[in-house]
Amino acid sequence: MSVPQAVQAPLTKAATFLVLTINPSPSAINTIRSALSSIADLSKNVSLRDLNSQFSCTVGIGSDAWDALTAGTGLHRPKELHPFRQIAGARHTAVSTPGDLLFHIRADRRDICFEFERQLLLKLGDAAAVVDDTQGFRYFDARDLLGFVDGTANPIGPDVPPAVLIADEDSDCAGGSYVVVQKYVHDMAGWTGLSTEAQEAIIGRTKMDNMELDDQPDGHQQAHKTLATIEDEAGNEHSIMRDNMPFGSPGSGVFGTYFIGYSRRLWVIEKMLERMFVGDPPGKHDRILDFSTPLTGTTFYAPPAWVLDQLGSD
Ligand code: HEM
Ligand SMILES: *[C@@H]1O[C@H](CO)[C@@H](O)[C@H](O)[C@H]1NC(C)=O
């Protein structure tokens, strides 16, 4: 089986979410191919500075960028890959924003993330432009800035690969993964104005000890955890891997959650978004959105590691 990128790496104390677009210069594609094929080497160089830092970097490639970067290589296009489709609910909209490349950089040390990003951007030069550069941090026991533990329902151990990695259904892309990111900012004054019980009903878990609450009866406005639970027609539940991180700056009044989800099946994340933004039943949206607004929304494909190596070989 082809070796995936570090999509299964653990949540670290720090992460950088870097989204770039490719500049329309004739040499840009070759520069980017060469930079992507040197990611393994660059990772080694930077992670050697502290072998205990849990460093990893995962590269995601957008739908249009995939075609541009793989032209003439014979690499196969992932079957489900397409640009993020905007979802407009009655009250809230999941916007679709540009992005050709995603670098999900993780380490237990902020300086290691910084150093990798610095060297990476030097390599890319003017071949790419930064559209977003977000620094996430761990907040206590992996809480989001709404105060809830985030990531509990993630698969662990042997359940991770079947949830996250493409397999026989698209064997040319086996070991790859779809990645969706959304950068949310919170209305903290509104959120902290709610009682703890009201917040818990919105999330679907208790705040202090992170216990799951029962679903609401059918027809009622469902909690976030219920709207984000997806079953296919045969009744199988499909989970995804979330590596969300808080970000922000109290001095600038910015409080956010950077959502990042890895999935073997892009449709599963899209269905989660539809249930959150349109609601189930329609009109009963996820009330987390009354206090959280996505500023971005972009879909990528994280190919297995050998694809990145191969991009530099011609
Ligand atoms: C403002 C942004 C968001 C915040 C603060 C947030 C926070 C949370 C929290 C606190 C939980 C409960 C603990 C856990 O199981 O991790 C949760 C569960 C979950 N969230 Fe989110 N979330 C956000 C956006 C999203 C988005 C955009 C998606 C998918 C497109 C998503 C998918 C999920 C899933 C799949 C679960 C687990 C459901 C279950 O099986 O129990 N979340 N989220
Ligand atoms: C990694 O470090 C070596 C030794 O300094 C250097 O020759 C090489 O170019 C570096 N690799 C990258 C991708 O920067």
Side-chain angles (χ1 to χ4, degrees):
M1 201 195 121
S2 58
V3 179
Q5 295 188 66
V7 297
Q8 309 177 45
L11 268 184
T12 45
K13 289 182 190 151
T16 295
F17 304 93
L18 178 66
V19 175
L20 310 176
T21 49
I22 301 176
N23 282 332
S25 93
S27 61
I29 293 297
N30 281 336
T31 304
I32 289 165
R33 283 183 179 183
S34 146
L36 295 185
S37 70
S38 70
I39 289 288
D41 205 28
L42 194 62
S43 299
K44 193 188 88 189
N45 284 4
V46 174
S47 62
L48 274 171
R49 308 283 291 274
D50 176 358
L51 288 170
N52 293 321
S53 75
Q54 303 271 19
F55 172 85
S56 68
C57 170
T58 311
V59 181
I61 301 176
S63 179
D64 296 345
W66 176 264
D67 293 335
L69 289 169
T70 61
T73 62
L75 288 164
H76 291 270
R77 196 180 152 79
K79 285 182 182 164
E80 282 194 79
L81 184 61
H82 55 243
F84 187 102
R85 293 174 182 150
Q86 173 180 300
I87 300 173
R91 288 269 283 283
H92 303 292
T93 297
V95 293
S96 170
T97 59
D100 291 326
L101 297 169
L102 166 74
F103 296 90
H104 180 200
I105 305 165
R106 287 179 264 185
D108 277 337
R109 289 174 54 162
R110 173 83 205 105
D111 56 348
I112 297 271
C113 295
F114 175 95
E115 183 61 12
F116 180 88
E117 181 184 5
R118 186 182 75 81
Q119 293 193 24
L120 172 71
L121 288 174
L122 280 176
K123 286 223 169 339
L124 289 168
D126 59 11
V130 175
V131 289
D132 189 55
D133 184 2
T134 298
Q135 273 70 51
F137 57 89
R138 178 179 297 166
Y139 191 52
F140 301 104
D141 44 344
R143 285 173 191 263
D144 52 43
L145 297 185
L146 302 180
F148 285 77
V149 176
D150 193 352
T152 312
N154 270 341
I156 52 167
D159 293 336
V160 178
V164 167
L165 301 178
I166 296 169
D168 291 348
E169 68 277 10
D170 188 2
S171 52
D172 290 326
C173 295
S177 190
Y178 296 99
V179 195
V180 174
V181 300
Q182 284 183 302
K183 180 179 182 170
Y184 283 91
V185 287
H186 301 301
D187 164 15
M188 286 306 279
W191 180 255
T192 52
L194 300 178
S195 67
T196 299
E197 290 71 22
Q199 295 178 351
E200 290 176 334
I202 290 175
I203 301 292
R205 284 182 175 269
T206 60
K207 194 169 185 178
M208 196 181 79
D209 55 5
N210 190 28
M211 302 291 284
E212 200 169 343
L213 301 174
D214 289 339
D215 291 345
Q216 294 293 319
D218 279 353
H220 282 69
Q221 199 146 13
Q222 295 294 336
H224 174 60
K225 65 113 192 188
T226 309
L227 291 168
T229 299
I230 303 301
E231 284 183 358
D232 62 22
E233 278 136 29
N236 302 309
E237 196 173 314
H238 292 295
S239 51
I240 65 169
M241 183 66 139
R242 291 166 289 128
D243 295 304
N244 298 357
M245 283 280 206
F247 67 89
S249 156
S252 331
V254 176
F255 300 89
T257 297
Y258 200 94
F259 166 82
I260 179 165
Y262 288 92
S263 182
R264 171 178 179 176
R265 307 167 180 92
L266 181 55
W267 68 263
V268 168
I269 300 185
E270 292 178 333
K271 187 128 185 229
M272 288 173 179
L273 290 171
E274 188 169 321
R275 287 169 57 80
M276 289 175 62
F277 282 82
V278 175
D280 178 35
K284 304 249 160 112
H285 64 266
D286 189 331
R287 282 167 299 155
I288 219 173
L289 301 174
D290 295 338
F291 306 93
S292 315
T293 306
L295 303 180
T296 69
T298 319
T299 295
F300 303 92
Y301 168 63
W306 66 269
V307 169
L308 298 179
D309 299 341
Q310 177 154 328
L311 285 178
S313 68
D314 44 26

